[in-house]
Amino acid sequence: QVGRGLVQIEYAFLRSRVARRVFFLFILCALLPVGALSLVSLTDVTSQLTQQAERRLRQESKAMGMAMYQRLLLLEAELLSTIAQQGVGLIARAAEAPAQVLPSLPGFVGMGSVSEDGDVAVFLGELQAVPVLPKTQWALLRQNKTLLTVEPTGPERSRFFLSRLSDVDGRVVVAELNHEFLWDLGGSMTLPADTSMCVFGQERTALFCSHATSAALIQQWPAQGGGSAGLFEWRDEQDVYLAGSWAIPLRFQFLTAPWTVVLSEPRSSVLAPLASFHYRFILIVVIALLAVALLSVSQIRKTMVPLEKLGEGTRRVAARNFSQPVQVKSGDEFEELAVSFNAMAKRLHQQFTQ
């Protein structure tokens, strides 16, 4: 009870309207700069994390695209090597023993040749169907270059073919690419954690996606996202994603439209470091406010307690009670005022007595 009474006396000055106004003014003056600092800091950190993620996605999408381009070049080299080694006898032996002429090549599902009138001969693997080459593609192949074609077989499923005109017999050698070799993400192309990849062909046809669907990505892909490099955001039912894209230049080497590699990362994963930052920042704000509150109470007490005592002394003098002087030991003007007040009360007491 004694301790509680001392606390009540100690903080009784807060009952004053002036004391409360000054106290809340202290808190407000501390809260405004701290709040502004926290808002600026969080905004700046969020922007920095987002920019770093966007740069990383753009660089990684280019690295993935270059890796795929190198694989296509490797497959083209194997195709040219096969054509050069076998020559004219390739077709004759293929007719005698289909699918038994060449050893297995890991990058190809099957390989065959087709004449301009549609005659097909398979000499490697299980080439179920050779795509029909229109006259325009035959004209492109006469430029002594390799043609890369895509044959859609279903949603996000396609067959990929490399075609090359043979200088020996005038037939086109067609090789179907192995999906596992082309999209070997567990080998030289490793995706970072929480990052998904999609590859799009002409008119944004999905050629490959490492996640479930690309419908939401295609719908929200901006028009400028199809350039050589681009950054954009898209969302699905679960999260918002940051995406970086890079277009693989295929037109010169493979006579086809560029493929676009798009890497996406959830925004929540990008901003995950903010969770610990939030906790530390809130802790710092709470400690700062507590320090300001304690400091303001101390400073207000030094000002308001002498005023309270002077007010009580004034009421005692008004009631002609001169027996109890005002005790103020603040070492400032309030103490001087209390001394003057006590001297005045003493003279008044003497005059009343006389």
Side-chain angles (χ1 to χ4, degrees), residues 32-274:
L32 286 179
V34 170
L37 178 62
S38 63
L39 180 61
V40 171
S41 300
L42 290 175
T43 303
D44 185 62
V45 172
T46 302
S47 176
Q48 290 293 330
L49 289 174
T50 303
Q51 291 176 6
Q52 290 176 5
E54 289 176 342
R55 287 195 296 269
R56 185 178 68 254
L57 288 171
R58 184 164 49 193
Q59 293 170 357
E60 290 173 351
S61 63
K62 182 176 180 179
M64 288 291 178
M66 292 300 296
M68 292 178 192
Y69 187 70
Q70 292 297 327
R71 285 178 178 271
L72 290 173
L73 291 178
L74 177 61
L75 293 172
E76 181 191 28
E78 289 186 358
L79 176 63
L80 294 176
S81 175
T82 301
I83 296 174
Q85 291 175 7
Q86 300 303 319
V88 179
L90 182 66
I91 307 304
R93 294 198 304 275
E96 297 174 0
Q100 301 293 328
V101 176
L102 296 177
S104 176
L105 297 177
F108 298 106
V109 175
M111 190 179 297
S113 67
V114 59
S115 64
E116 195 166 1
D117 58 5
D119 178 51
V120 177
V122 178
F123 51 84
L124 173 64
E126 299 178 357
L127 192 62
Q128 297 179 356
V130 176
V132 178
L133 300 177
K135 296 296 183 180
T136 54
Q137 293 184 353
W138 276 90
L140 293 174
L141 288 169
R142 291 190 177 95
Q143 299 177 15
N144 198 28
K145 288 188 176 182
T146 304
L147 175 66
L148 173 62
T149 55
V150 179
E151 186 179 277
T153 58
E156 300 179 8
R157 295 185 61 86
S158 300
R159 299 172 68 196
F160 304 93
F161 298 92
L162 286 180
S163 304
R164 183 81 179 205
L165 185 65
S166 174
D167 296 332
V168 178
D169 50 18
R171 295 171 68 92
V172 172
V173 179
V174 180
E176 183 176 357
L177 307 186
N178 188 347
H179 284 243
E180 294 182 359
F181 183 82
L182 187 59
W183 316 121
D184 183 18
L185 299 181
S188 60
M189 299 187 296
T190 303
L191 287 176
D194 298 328
T195 303
S196 57
M197 183 182 76
C198 278
V199 182
F200 297 93
Q202 192 173 11
E203 297 180 357
R204 298 186 180 180
T205 303
L207 306 179
F208 170 80
C209 273
S210 62
H211 54 278
T213 179
S214 61
L217 171 58
I218 295 174
Q219 292 175 359
Q220 301 174 51
W221 192 356
Q224 62 271 23
S228 60
L231 297 168
F232 60 97
E233 290 187 4
W234 63 279
R235 67 175 63 238
D236 60 9
E237 298 178 354
Q238 299 178 352
D239 208 338
V240 178
Y241 295 85
L242 299 178
S245 64
W246 191 78
I248 307 175
L250 300 175
R251 190 172 301 279
F252 176 78
Q253 187 69 26
F254 295 100
L255 305 174
T256 189
W259 290 359
T260 303
V261 180
V262 179
L263 293 185
S264 302
E265 186 174 356
R267 190 177 180 88
S268 57
S269 177
V270 173
L271 301 181
L274 279 180

